[in-house]
Amino acid sequence: MKLSKHSVLILGATGRFGEAAIHAFRDAGWRVIAQSRAQPSYFLDGVTYLQDSIFDTSAIVLAAKGANVVVHAINPAYTKWQTQALPLCRAGMNIAEQLNALFMLPGNVYNYGAPMPALLQVDSPQQPTARKGLTRCNMEAEMAQRKTTGLRSVVIRAGDFFGGGNGNWFDLVIVKSAAKGKLVYPGPPDIMHAWAYLPDLARVFELVARCSIDNNAAPAFDRLHFAGISLTGTQMLAALEIALNNVRRANSQPVIKFARSTLPWGFIKLAGTIVPSWRELSEMAYLWTSPHQLSDAALIAKIGEVPATPLDIALKNSLALLGFSVATH
């Protein structure tokens, strides 16, 4: 592990992106301060853990004195986005301002809405068609506006996460029933969809942070896109079937043909009138019918080569974290 003069504060460190960010920055030699509401399930050497509320600005600023970067990895529950996402982001910006640190936000494609172009550029028009998209636009607008008060910030936008933690489309839907020989894809099989392998995305955050500090190359407000891995549903399910059968073969189980199905969006929309979490899901159904990929041209121009784990290895690692691994005897 390299030694670094840099220090990072990760807000929401027990979430799936927060944990990936801890590993990426720590492995690159940064001093890491990890804040979370809940106690971590495990502790890493060289990481300072905080359980102060993100709204206790003075306590966090004191504990993170000297931090060059603040990574905002806090993501509220899906049903609480409208009331919590912007206040939490604002609290993170307050902390970054007082630390005079670069504020980094993992973004997503919600901003572009259902009419999004097939290839998303950093300057593509943002036309949100769902409440979460509007919230995301408001978060980024405030980041941009705060450059007038001295905040330096960057949004790094990516597709759907996989490869760390629970609570995403990959584990909650697609491979949820894989142990029973069934894969479920949320949309039509021929639509291109953007994915982000979390360890790669976290490494991108570290590289952008280091570049911005070492080269004094951080504009007051910036947007970058992480292209990640773009696949149609057919391509994703085919790659998953190979990966899952590799595990079965290694465990002396027969190779099988996985059954495939999709989500009953009509029923989910109807049930959403009474079940809040289903209402939130149905509002985002367009993400699976609007083909999209992200252009990472601006990111490459900034950091050069972008981390890109081969799909077969990314899926193997992701499945292992969900319990699909070679049994030990």
Side-chain angles (χ1 to χ4, degrees):
M1 183 173 70
K2 299 176 289 185
L3 295 177
S4 172
K5 60 184 177 183
H6 301 317
S7 176
V8 60
L9 167 64
I10 298 172
L11 302 172
T14 54
R16 52 187 179 271
F17 180 70
E19 288 192 354
I22 287 176
H23 285 278
F25 280 90
R26 175 181 174 271
D27 291 350
W30 290 59
R31 171 186 171 236
V32 177
I33 306 105
Q35 178 275 341
S36 64
R37 292 167 295 179
Q39 183 169 313
S41 57
Y42 61 91
F43 295 87
L44 293 174
D45 291 340
V47 177
T48 301
Y49 292 89
L50 308 176
Q51 280 191 264
D52 299 286
S53 165
I54 188 176
F55 297 106
D56 192 347
T57 307
S58 57
I60 292 180
V61 168
L62 181 62
K65 184 178 180 180
N68 310 91
V69 173
V70 173
V71 175
H72 188 82
I74 295 178
N75 197 28
Y78 225 47
T79 54
K80 297 181 179 179
W81 260 56
Q82 275 61 54
T83 57
Q84 294 186 1
L86 183 55
L88 286 165
C89 187
R90 187 173 288 141
M93 287 186 265
N94 292 341
I95 291 167
E97 276 189 339
Q98 292 200 27
L99 288 169
N100 192 29
L102 175 69
F103 181 75
M104 304 185 76
L105 178 73
N108 58 31
V109 303
Y110 294 3
N111 307 52
Y112 300 107
M116 72 176 92
L119 183 62
L120 297 169
Q121 308 284 353
V122 291
D123 58 355
S124 291
Q126 298 190 4
Q127 301 173 315
T129 53
R131 291 170 300 159
K132 287 182 175 57
L134 180 60
T135 298
R136 278 288 182 174
C137 287
N138 290 338
M139 290 163 66
E140 293 182 25
E142 182 155 335
M143 290 169 63
Q145 186 275 328
R146 284 212 192 189
K147 66 184 180 183
T148 61
T149 59
L151 180 70
R152 294 169 297 123
S153 62
V154 58
V155 176
I156 302 180
R157 200 179 315 286
D160 274 316
F161 294 170
F162 75 104
N166 299 310
N168 48 56
W169 289 98
F170 186 81
D171 68 276
L172 290 179
V173 176
I174 297 177
V175 300
K176 180 180 179 180
S177 301
K180 300 176 181 178
K182 181 180 178 181
L183 299 174
V184 179
Y185 195 75
D190 58 341
I191 299 295
M192 192 66 72
H193 190 84
W195 293 93
Y197 180 54
L198 271 178
D200 286 347
L201 178 60
R203 287 174 59 205
V204 164
F205 267 69
E206 190 279 327
L207 290 168
V208 170
R210 184 179 297 277
C211 177
S212 298
I213 295 170
D214 288 350
N215 302 329
N216 194 26
F221 173 69
D222 201 8
R223 288 188 178 101
L224 299 169
H225 284 182
F226 171 64
I229 302 172
S230 295
L231 301 164
T232 64
T234 298
Q235 291 169 331
M236 170 59 95
L237 294 185
L240 267 172
E241 187 162 315
I242 291 171
L244 287 163
N245 272 323
N246 284 341
V247 174
R248 293 180 63 87
R249 190 179 293 109
N251 287 326
S252 301
Q253 296 175 315
V255 170
I256 64 171
K257 179 67 178 175
F258 284 78
R260 299 181 182 184
S261 64
T262 189
L263 287 179
W265 283 111
F267 175 75
I268 290 172
K269 183 176 182 180
L270 181 63
T273 58
I274 16 178
V275 183
S277 59
W278 288 28
R279 180 188 66 237
E280 300 300 324
L281 278 180
S282 64
E283 195 175 61
M284 308 308 297
Y286 73 87
L287 294 171
W288 300 98
T289 55
S290 298
H292 59 276
Q293 302 179 65
L294 294 103
S295 169
D296 58 1
L299 179 63
I300 292 171
K302 188 175 187 70
I303 66 171
E305 185 177 357
V306 176
T309 301
L311 178 60
D312 59 335
I313 296 175
L315 289 178
K316 177 182 177 182
N317 294 342
S318 303
L319 291 169
L321 291 172
L322 297 173
F324 297 95
S325 56
V326 178
T328 56
H329 300 284

